[in-house]
Amino acid sequence: MNEIKILAIVGSLRKESYNRQLALAAKELIGDRAVFNLLEYRDIPMMNQDIEFPAPEAVKRVREEVKSADGIWFFTPEYNHFFPGVLKNLIDWLSRPVSDKEPQVLSGKPAAISGITPSMAGTGLAQDHLVTLISFLNMNVMNVPRLTIPNAAQQLDGDGKLALTVSYPYLEKQANAFLGFIAKQIGK
Ligand code: FNR
């Protein structure tokens, strides 16, 4: 079956991350309309050109996951008005050519961006920096709609989990738009 494959990349390694919970909400919302996986990358090392070739196993694995995805959906926190260093480190690894015969794996991939924060900021500044980076890497960014969710604490259930009350329709709108954006580009 010619299913769309979406890979979610969460810019937080925290177990209870709001951004991870947002990614899981997107997965549930998309349901059987696409294969939706979360990239696990806490085991990739810090970029160091001394260990770049041959690529560490963990780096090979994340590159393969990105390569086989039809679209990448970033869910990023905001750290000091930027996206977190763990995400920059991951993207730095992904940005390098696989070999002299194979280019980097991000080029041309459709990308969507969402973010959630407990503050009033909404992650817009972090997202803008991420757009600058992934545009440089020739990703195909869906700029409209992007999703910025402030005041995460106002959307929790009794157990402190993200319930996404007021933001749910916006997530739905973005998910539908991204499925259409990917389908248009890859002809699925
Ligand atoms: C933050 N946080 C934060 N929030 C924000 O809205 N704007 C910001 O500039 C920052 N800066 C910042 C710097 C650092 C170093 C940390 C650790 C945190 C708070 C941040 O949004 C909050 O911890 C979120 O819960 C992180 O996202 P996850 O892990 O819940 O997905």
Side-chain angles (χ1 to χ4, degrees):
M1 203 166 107
N2 220 7
E3 264 181 320
I4 288 178
K5 290 194 204 97
I6 293 177
L7 184 66
I9 298 185
V10 178
S12 170
L13 303 181
R14 199 167 77 83
K15 281 200 290 293
E16 300 296 327
S17 160
Y18 292 129
N19 285 279
R20 189 178 180 86
Q21 292 185 60
L22 185 62
L24 292 170
K27 178 182 169 76
E28 196 178 319
L29 194 158
I30 283 185
D32 62 6
R33 291 181 291 164
V35 174
F36 189 112
N37 293 317
L38 262 72
L39 185 71
E40 302 298 345
Y41 64 92
R42 65 178 61 242
D43 55 341
I44 71 161
M46 293 297 285
M47 166 51 81
N48 172 352
Q49 288 188 270
D50 290 340
I51 60 165
E52 194 179 355
F53 300 108
E57 286 306 313
V59 171
K60 283 188 199 157
R61 192 196 73 239
V62 295
R63 281 181 178 152
E64 280 308 311
E65 287 195 57
V66 169
K67 208 168 126 185
S68 70
D70 297 312
I72 308 294
W73 192 342
F74 293 95
F75 295 84
T76 188
E78 183 166 287
Y79 281 4
N80 298 314
H81 288 184
F82 219 87
F83 56 86
V86 290
L87 182 55
K88 177 64 163 54
N89 184 55
L90 171 70
I91 294 175
D92 284 342
W93 275 109
L94 294 172
S95 74
R96 301 288 279 176
V98 173
S99 70
D100 52 359
K101 293 183 191 62
E102 220 185 315
Q104 57 100 341
V105 291
L106 293 171
S107 186
K109 290 276 177 201
I113 306 178
S114 305
I116 181 167
T117 171
S119 86
M120 283 164 55
T123 74
L125 286 165
Q127 293 192 21
D128 286 346
H129 290 299
L130 185 57
V131 168
T132 303
L133 173 60
I134 64 178
S135 301
F136 171 67
L137 295 172
N138 200 34
M139 291 193 85
N140 205 342
V141 184
M142 184 183 78
N143 266 305
V144 181
R146 281 202 248 147
L147 181 59
T148 52
I149 307 181
N151 304 318
Q154 291 177 6
Q155 300 198 62
L156 304 182
D157 65 17
D159 298 325
K161 300 279 180 215
L162 195 63
L164 273 192
T165 43
V166 291
S167 296
Y168 192 83
Y170 297 98
L171 181 66
E172 197 166 29
K173 208 168 156 190
Q174 193 187 27
N176 293 343
F178 195 39
L179 286 171
F181 187 81
I182 296 171
K184 203 163 156 190
Q185 281 169 56
I186 63 172
K188 277 190 181 172

